[in-house]
């Protein structure tokens, strides 16, 4: 039996870049990551990163991988932070910064006007909102001819293309996308004041966009001419890596925020807009769709409880335990608790309900133990996500594939996920899920 | 200018008896109280006290007052715990225990049946519910010929009457009372299976029921033949003592529970039943009525917060400050806090909404400071009471007359009362309000 082919996946995240060498089934042979520090000082509410720093860091992290493994890589895939946009010139060189998904330059009035004109709900930081804002403020800067995501740009550079292309997972995350045709919603794009020429061409998910240039091959210590797959959105890349049986699993990720994702059955056809307020339908590799509920406050709710307990002790003039020990105790007392207290965990509001806040219900006269609050909060975080998805999407699902640091570190959150979703929970055994998923995506080019 | 007349007031409370010597305007010359320890061991859910112990304690506490003051007393008034019932024989001697307002022998099904038959909502522990239950269970015990409250019984003994009488404030608190005629609701009494002969005759509020017997006068060190007023319910007695301008004040009391009381304008006529779910209309001396909202959880909510803070520290393995210091700090941090957090404070449910529980709303991602919870809770306790009364009853009120230990000890609760009711708050400068009010009530006999 010959050795399995190896694949390289690269992930340009919001705070770090990562690279992984995987086998086609996602088995990880090696992974590396590094905090990139690409954030730029900019106007209040703006969120920008330096694309040169991001691309250099991505190249560097690949070179940190074992040379012997790199030499055996047969295909390359990339992924990265969704929603953001970078402008490029006619030679595919960045013009200006990456405006990230965290950017808040578009105020509510601008977004409402945009929704009225286009029929799409857009959030600030979504590529098409950023481009519409640029158009509204005087057009693209000098020299800019096209826009793309930062991982689209990396992919284009790897294959020596002057004009980046994008795939449906990234295009959908920009906002003015037709989920049924998997193309830009042209009338909406024009209504937003965006020139269709600025938008990258959409190629199918997992398409081969070219072959590794001599220069890139040399930089990476890989064979030239190996295929490079179209960049994938990091949400979908992570799901590729964490779901082992997409038809019968749900993906649950808790970082600062949280996502609950369900890959929809083959043959699913999105509604005209493909989205309702509480969740999004997104394209998924293999011609499929995934329903994603996103909470602004996931793991952050857990930190809220630790910081609240700490604050109470400070308020009472008592020395609190260190935060690490506090997290441990929250787990212990929460796991031991049985309670009828319930907590709504939307502490920061939600994208579809910005006025929502947290609420603790069912408080009786007996002292409210910390464990009861911990358990109620853990359940509330998961229930919040569950209730954003239509109940029928969860029918027939048998397992929760869990990822993200909050789930990795806190058994109580995994127990609560199992209780609330009424399924066993399996924690992803790996890290760098997005980079692994990008590698798996590239593996499709070898079939 | 001659000296003002002096009056004796006696209060047989749930946990203690008190006596006060006051001037007609309520100015207190001396007061005493003693914990009576009259609780009897009885069946689970039953709440009974020994009437002999109560009456002896009441006589004893009077003798603890300064003899020179006692000699000058010109009239006697009594009051005591409302709702309860004691049976007496033909000579006015107790037959069996006092069944107190805390008694729970009537279950929900029995009370519902009673409401269906009588048209009155009755709670377990209310005199007519207790009597209906006795009738249902085989009638009164041997020798019992009549029923009364424990303070009706004391008043009867002071004037040597074999058959106690009662006044509208006490009769209304038993439950099958017609608020418009100020008489027993005879059809309802019969529908409840209660023989009308068991019920005490109703005399007007503040009526003279007789004169002190030689024996009682000797026991008390007072002049024989001084008048004794009909016993008053302790809620109304306390209001008499704490309200200086009943037409423009609201009375707020926070002990374990809480009451918000408004003496209604002259000429107020109660509706047919005189009660709606969230508050009660009760008779008040002077031919008037008072609207009373009662919360099961008033000061107890404040203790809940202290015990919860303590429990969190224990849960985290940290030594909590002593409870007294903790109450102090809750006051300090609560007074310093500004918060948009709100708390519903019905931690134990309410009489009219037994399923209700506490709820903390508006929790954001920032740590929830203890002071914010303290302030939200303090406001919630008062808002809960305010919202039980029709808003129009509060129009034209200019001051809150505050009483009860929770308000006396916690500035934050007084500040919250002022914020929520939008009026200045004056704390009653005296203790033993009910005994003082009973004395003031007796003063009406001297006019």
């Amino acid at each position: 039996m010959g050795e399995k082919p190896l694949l390289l996946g690269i992930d340009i995240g919001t705070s770090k870049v990562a690279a992984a060498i995987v086998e086609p089934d996602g088995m990880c042979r090696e992974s590396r990551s590094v905090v990139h520090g690409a954030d730029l000082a900019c106007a209040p509410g703006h969120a920008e990163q330096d694309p040169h720093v991001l691309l250099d860091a991505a190249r560097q992290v690949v070179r940190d991988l074992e040379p012997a493994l790199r030499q055996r890589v047969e295909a390359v895939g990339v992924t990265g932070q969704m929603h953001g946009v970078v402008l490029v010139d006619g030679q595919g060189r960045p013009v200006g910064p990456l405006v990230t998904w965290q950017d808040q330059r578009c105020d509510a009035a601008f977004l409402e006007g945009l929704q009225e004109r286009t029929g799409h709900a857009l959030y600030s930081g979504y590529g098409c909102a950023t481009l519409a804002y640029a158009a509204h403020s005087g057009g693209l800067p000098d020299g800019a001819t096209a826009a793309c995501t930062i991982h689209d740009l990396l992919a284009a550079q790897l294959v020596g293309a002057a004009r980046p292309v994008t795939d449906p997972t990234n295009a959908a995350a920009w906002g003015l996308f037709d989920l049924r045709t998997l193309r830009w919603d042209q009338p909406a794009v024009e209504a937003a004041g965006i020139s269709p020429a600025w938008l990258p061409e959409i190629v199918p998910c997992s398409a081969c966009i070219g072959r590794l240039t001599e220069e890139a091959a040399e930089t990476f210590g890989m064979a030239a001419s190996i295929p490079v797959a179209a960049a994938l959105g990091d949400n979908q890349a992570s799901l590729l890596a964490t779901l082992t049986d997409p038809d019968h699993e749900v993906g649950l990720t808790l970082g600062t925020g949280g996502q609950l994702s369900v890959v929809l059955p083959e043959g699913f056809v999105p509604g005209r807009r493909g989205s309702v307020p509480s969740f999004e339908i997104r394209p998924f590799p293999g011609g499929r769709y995934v329903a994603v509920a996103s909470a602004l406050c996931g793991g952050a709710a857990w930190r809220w409880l630790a910081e609240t307990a700490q604050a109470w002790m400070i308020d009472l003039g008592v020395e609190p335990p260190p935060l690490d020990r506090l997290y441990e105790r929250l787990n212990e007392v929460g796991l031991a608790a049985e309670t009828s207290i319930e907590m709504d965990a939307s502490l920061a509001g939600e994208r579809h309900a910005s006025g929502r806040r947290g609420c603790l219900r069912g408080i009786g006269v007996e002292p409210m133990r910390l464990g009861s609050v911990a358990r109620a909060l853990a359940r509330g975080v998961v229930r919040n996500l569950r209730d954003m998805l239509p109940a029928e999407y969860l029918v027939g699902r048998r397992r929760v594939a869990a990822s993200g640091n909050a789930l990795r570190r806190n058994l109580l959150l995994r127990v609560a996920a199992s209780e609330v979703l009424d399924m066993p929970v399996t924690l992803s055994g790996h890290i760098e899920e997005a980079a692994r998923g990008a590698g798996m995506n590239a593996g499709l080019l070898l079939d």
Side-chain angles (χ1 to χ4, degrees), chain A residues 10-331:
Chain A
I10 308 172
D11 170 31
I12 305 180
T14 307
S15 56
K16 61 180 189 171
V17 294
I21 292 179
V22 300
E23 296 174 359
D25 62 1
M27 175 66 208
C28 187
R29 299 292 295 266
E30 196 190 2
S31 73
R32 294 275 170 169
S33 72
V34 62
V35 171
H36 53 59
D39 287 348
L40 292 169
C42 51
H46 291 212
E48 298 177 352
Q49 293 184 336
D50 185 331
H52 301 287
V53 172
L54 292 168
L55 297 169
D56 287 349
R59 289 193 171 84
Q60 182 55 53
V61 80
V62 174
R63 288 204 301 268
D64 291 342
L65 296 166
E66 175 62 42
L69 288 174
R70 276 188 273 147
Q71 281 171 11
R72 290 178 41 212
V73 165
E74 298 182 33
V76 179
V78 304
T79 184
Q81 43 178 305
M82 296 166 76
H83 309 301
V85 63
V86 61
L87 299 171
V88 295
D89 66 15
Q91 281 73 52
R93 290 176 304 214
V95 178
L98 166 68
V99 178
T100 80
W101 61 278
Q102 295 177 308
D103 190 87
Q104 291 296 319
R105 72 189 57 187
C106 303
D107 61 23
F110 181 79
L111 293 170
E112 272 166 37
L114 208 51
Q115 173 157 13
E116 219 160 86
R117 297 201 302 282
T118 65
H120 289 259
L122 284 185
Y123 303 109
S124 190
Y126 276 38
C128 287
T130 304
L131 290 173
Y133 189 87
H136 168 79
S137 315
L140 300 194
D142 286 350
T145 61
C148 62
T149 72
I150 186 67
H151 36 298
D152 288 334
L153 180 52
L154 175 60
Q157 292 188 350
L158 293 182
V159 300
R163 192 173 172 90
V165 297
T166 199
D167 90 329
T169 66
N170 288 299
W174 274 15
L176 299 179
F177 182 77
D178 185 330
L179 276 171
R180 307 221 271 191
T181 61
L182 301 182
R183 302 169 113 161
W184 297 113
D185 182 345
Q186 289 296 352
V189 166
E190 281 162 42
I194 299 170
S195 161
W198 301 350
L199 295 178
E201 182 198 340
I202 296 172
V203 300
C205 266
S206 320
C208 175
I209 63 159
R211 293 179 173 271
L212 209 59
T213 62
E214 290 284 348
E215 187 192 343
E218 188 164 326
T219 305
F220 284 173
M222 294 182 189
S225 301
I226 60 174
V228 175
L232 193 63
D234 57 1
N235 171 227
Q236 288 88 338
S238 295
L239 288 172
L240 264 193
T242 49
L243 301 183
T244 55
D245 179 7
D247 287 307
H248 300 108
E249 290 171 330
V250 298
L252 175 65
T253 303
L254 294 181
T256 299
Q259 289 88 40
L260 186 65
S261 309
V262 177
V263 176
L264 296 169
E266 305 257 13
F268 171 88
V269 178
R272 216 187 96 46
R273 278 291 169 246
S275 72
V276 299
S278 68
F279 69 101
E280 284 187 55
I281 300 288
R282 296 177 175 173
F284 193 73
R288 299 181 71 170
Y289 294 92
V290 60
V292 182
S294 300
L296 295 182
C297 189
W302 197 239
R303 186 196 307 149
W304 167 86
L305 181 56
E307 289 181 353
T308 291
Q310 215 175 28
W312 281 31
M313 282 179 273
I314 292 164
D315 290 339
L316 291 173
V318 168
E319 178 78 23
L323 212 53
D324 274 2
R325 174 72 192 126
L326 221 147
Y327 277 112
E328 260 175 56
R329 279 298 291 164
L330 286 184
N331 250 296

